[in-house]
Amino acid sequence: MKLRIPIALSLFATFLNLDAAAESKKAPKPNVILIITDDLGNTGLSSWGSSFYETPHIDALAKSGVLFKNFYSASCLCSPARASLMTGKYPQRVGITEYIESTRKTGPHSHETTLPQTEVTLGEAFKKNGYQTGYIGKWHLGAEAGGWPKDHGFL
């Protein structure tokens, strides 16, 4: 069975609720690291069975954490897929159905040029539950004012 993004976000929300219950018992909050990659196939990591690529550090994370073996991306393009993962909504619901170029202000396509600030993201949900958040690397959800990771709950 494929794990769909809205279900994955529901699991995250459940995880955060369980975490709140654990906090009342003074249990430490677990660390959460979400790694998003583009163009990485099933055989791109040794933790997934690759005998060509050696990825010992990622393998160690996979062994000590949670490794999702079945995952459904809402789009084959990075911006819509990232918007969906960040919000738990289908790309069409967020208005991001194409790749967002950081330099495009106008164009022939009718789509958002940045993730709307009205959308609640994973960063905001984690922050609301007492986590420190950070975002490193490729964002591709807008480079205009209000479209950076810091505008969506990440440091």
Side-chain angles (χ1 to χ4, degrees):
M1 181 171 96
K2 300 264 184 208
L3 182 63
R4 299 196 184 276
I5 288 177
I7 294 171
L9 289 180
S10 295
L11 292 174
F12 270 113
T14 302
F15 176 77
L16 291 176
N17 287 335
L18 291 175
D19 187 55
E23 185 178 27
S24 68
K25 296 178 185 176
K26 304 294 183 202
K29 290 186 176 193
N31 293 321
V32 178
I33 299 172
L34 178 62
I35 300 173
I36 306 168
T37 62
D38 289 340
D39 306 321
L40 182 67
N42 286 345
T43 59
L45 302 170
S46 53
S47 59
W48 280 62
S50 175
S51 59
F52 182 77
Y53 298 105
E54 296 177 3
T55 54
H57 299 293
I58 294 175
D59 298 346
L61 282 172
K63 285 180 184 173
S64 66
V66 177
L67 179 64
F68 292 101
K69 290 284 190 171
N70 292 310
F71 192 81
Y72 172 80
S73 177
S75 177
C76 61
L77 300 173
C78 67
S79 297
R82 288 166 189 271
S84 182
L85 180 64
M86 286 292 142
T87 64
K89 296 180 178 179
Y90 290 107
Q92 298 85 341
R93 303 284 297 190
V94 182
I96 298 176
T97 57
E98 296 184 27
Y99 166 75
I100 296 176
E101 293 182 47
S102 59
T103 58
R104 179 174 29 199
K105 302 290 185 205
T106 60
H109 308 290
S110 61
H111 61 86
E112 292 286 342
T113 58
T114 188
L115 182 65
Q117 284 189 294
T118 55
E119 297 295 338
V120 177
T121 65
L122 280 175
E124 293 165 315
F126 274 101
K127 210 171 199 179
K128 183 179 178 182
N129 283 277
Y131 278 85
Q132 286 188 320
T133 61
Y135 197 96
I136 300 169
K138 181 179 173 180
W139 176 247
H140 275 220
L141 290 174
E144 299 171 12
W148 291 98
K150 67 179 178 64
D151 301 312
H152 294 283
F154 297 98
L155 296 178

